[in-house]
Amino acid sequence: MNKQGKDKIDWTDYTWNPISGCLHDCHYCYLKRMRFFDMAPDFHPERLAEPQLIKKPAKIFTGSSGDMFGGWVEPKWLDDVFDRINRTYWHTFQLLTKNPARYGDIPNQDKMRNVWFGTTDDALIFTQYNIERLKKSVTVPRRFVSFEPLIGEVTYAPNLADIQWIIIGADSNKGAKKPEKVWADNLIKEARRVGALIFIKDNYGYPERIKEIPTS
């Protein structure tokens, strides 16, 4: 597990990757910039016990080095991960995927009080239906949307009803187009309309500091 904080992923306390790798092949993927990172999906059972070593309740972004819910991930891998999540009930686990429909395969969601289910919407065609897929697949009011990296304006007017939290961030690749303020403005307006919390990453360059994080 890796400790997070300023200049890292500042909406979580730790990252945990019992499953790594990804086959989405997104052009902006930060993992591709890591010289020795292997994008091939892999399971790391030796990492399963890591959250139990942290006794103080923490927020744990699970699967930061890949997509744990990609179609290539074996069900048994996920079973083992959720077994550990259920055992370490004092932590809050934050999941994020571009394939939110697979959340529907997770049993007993209503009993998982310590899990937040997230999906990505980057304003590209590939992810434009992810918010609705998230709503259909997750039955508990702990849903969040990561608009990161926000590649352009979300022109399909996302309905954030039943979304409890959004994260907005920019493409951090060298030479990437700087995001426009209005792109975030529209998302903030919609989030405020439905009562969703908002977290804007520093890399967006938004003039107002908004860093709201769910407390449970």
Side-chain angles (χ1 to χ4, degrees):
M1 295 180 68
N2 292 315
K3 178 72 174 173
Q4 300 299 300
K6 185 176 174 55
D7 299 325
K8 293 186 178 181
I9 305 175
D10 54 350
W11 47 263
T12 196
D13 298 317
Y14 294 90
T15 57
W16 177 44
N17 288 285
I19 299 172
S20 65
C22 184
L23 301 179
H24 288 315
D25 197 29
C26 301
H27 73 273
Y28 52 70
C29 181
Y30 73 95
L31 294 173
K32 292 179 180 180
R33 304 200 307 264
M34 299 172 65
R35 184 177 177 185
F36 298 107
F37 186 81
D38 187 355
M39 296 296 288
D42 199 7
F43 180 49
H44 308 277
E46 73 279 4
R47 300 177 183 174
L48 287 173
E50 291 177 346
Q52 294 174 267
L53 302 178
I54 300 174
K55 302 307 180 183
K56 182 179 178 180
K59 299 183 294 294
I60 301 175
F61 177 15
T62 305
S64 65
S65 293
D67 191 332
M68 289 208 326
F69 296 89
W72 54 84
V73 174
E74 296 182 18
K76 180 61 169 61
W77 296 1
L78 290 174
D79 289 343
D80 288 348
V81 171
F82 277 99
D83 176 66
R84 296 294 175 151
I85 286 175
N86 290 327
R87 291 191 203 184
T88 47
Y89 55 86
W90 59 92
H91 293 315
T92 297
F93 293 88
Q94 300 155 314
L95 312 178
L96 185 61
T97 181
K98 286 187 171 72
N99 186 30
R102 196 169 183 186
Y103 285 146
D105 297 335
I106 301 172
N108 302 316
Q109 289 181 12
D110 57 325
K111 296 180 180 179
M112 295 181 183
R113 305 287 182 177
N114 63 334
V115 178
W116 276 76
F117 300 88
T119 193
T120 297
D121 187 333
D122 53 17
L124 300 179
I125 293 175
F126 176 64
T127 62
Q128 68 174 314
Y129 300 111
N130 278 358
I131 295 176
E132 296 308 316
R133 289 169 180 153
L134 176 67
K135 295 179 188 180
K136 291 179 181 178
S137 302
V138 176
T139 60
V140 296
R142 291 186 294 279
R143 310 175 191 90
F144 72 98
V145 179
S146 176
F147 294 96
E148 184 192 8
L150 195 57
I151 301 300
E153 184 176 5
V154 181
T155 58
Y156 32 87
N159 179 3
L160 296 180
D162 298 319
I163 300 298
Q164 286 71 46
W165 185 34
I166 68 169
I167 299 167
I168 303 173
D171 185 348
S172 58
N173 281 294
K174 185 177 181 180
K177 179 182 179 181
K178 182 179 178 180
E180 297 183 21
K181 179 178 178 292
V182 68
W183 300 350
D185 288 341
N186 294 337
L187 296 174
I188 292 169
K189 181 179 180 180
E190 171 65 6
R192 293 300 187 210
R193 183 185 72 83
V194 302
L197 298 176
I198 302 164
F199 189 100
I200 304 180
K201 296 195 67 175
D202 292 338
N203 68 1
Y204 198 91
Y206 196 74
E208 181 182 355
R209 187 179 188 273
I210 307 176
K211 291 185 178 292
E212 302 167 354
I213 298 178
T215 57
S216 62

